[in-house]
Amino acid sequence: DDGAARTFRRPHVHKQMFADPRHSRIVLINPTRTERAGAPAELAERRCASFALLPGIVENFRMSALAVGDFDPSKMTNRAANSINLLNADVVTFWRDAEFGSMAAGEGNFVFLGGAWLEEEVLVASLEGVRLGYDVRLLTDLSSARIEADRALALDRLALHGVLPTTIRQAM
């Protein structure tokens, strides 16, 4: 060490704009966990409307949709529930589970991640995916925060790690 001051520079991150649906997945963490008490009704309605789009995405783009954690198909429409496969794995370490598949981290391999709780399991799972080299996109309309005041903090932290926010409609 020559004693010179070192400056930290964030590496330039180039993000591919569009996902290749043949190499992308949707992963929903605790997708049927109920909204917290006192949550605005419009949040639940928005999530419900976004879940209704999921079957069309799975069918039209031939993407797989996986659920990890709290998944009760009876809490969704039959069509939405039938488009999601349950991944019997831990909500944070599912990335390494054999059932997750052979999707390798790399350019063009996107994981669209959403679920509950944004500032807890979704945040940690997203950061783990980035650490492993996956290009993670956060489905904000399918993500709910346990504590709404922490939502912006979680989104800011994810942005620092290159996790771009999107919605299911924008991803289509």
Side-chain angles (χ1 to χ4, degrees):
D1 186 13
D2 62 6
R6 295 179 190 215
T7 58
F8 174 77
R9 284 193 299 171
R10 191 166 168 226
H12 173 71
V13 178
H14 170 72
K15 291 286 185 182
Q16 182 177 338
M17 292 303 294
F18 297 105
D20 182 340
R22 296 169 298 177
H23 304 287
S24 300
R25 292 216 172 96
I26 298 169
V27 178
L28 303 170
I29 296 174
N30 303 313
T32 56
R33 186 176 277 171
T34 56
E35 297 291 334
R36 68 195 188 295
E42 64 264 11
L43 289 178
E45 290 171 13
R46 187 176 123 200
R47 279 184 77 204
C48 187
S50 294
F51 273 119
L53 297 174
L54 201 54
I57 291 172
V58 169
E59 293 166 14
N60 293 324
F61 296 107
R62 301 199 192 323
M63 288 178 71
S64 64
L66 304 170
V68 181
D70 187 4
F71 178 60
D72 180 358
S74 70
K75 292 183 179 179
M76 303 178 127
T77 66
N78 285 340
R79 191 160 183 256
N82 290 337
S83 66
I84 301 170
N85 295 312
L86 178 62
L87 179 63
N88 195 13
D90 181 72
V91 296
V92 175
T93 60
F94 68 87
W95 303 97
R96 297 180 185 177
D97 194 281
E99 287 184 66
F100 182 63
S102 60
M103 188 173 116
E107 197 164 318
N109 294 330
F110 288 71
V111 176
F112 292 91
L113 193 62
W117 303 120
L118 172 61
E119 75 280 22
E120 295 173 7
E121 289 100 336
V122 176
L123 172 75
V124 174
S126 297
L127 295 176
E128 178 65 8
V130 169
R131 187 183 74 76
L132 293 171
Y134 288 94
D135 195 340
V136 179
R137 303 291 170 100
L138 178 70
L139 294 170
T140 58
D141 56 336
L142 294 180
S143 298
S144 60
R146 187 172 63 83
I147 300 171
E148 195 59 35
D150 290 346
R151 182 181 192 81
L153 295 171
L155 292 173
D156 289 346
R157 184 162 180 205
L158 290 170
L160 287 173
H161 293 278
V163 178
L164 300 177
T166 190
T167 65
I168 200 80
R169 284 177 177 80
Q170 292 169 351
M172 284 183 1

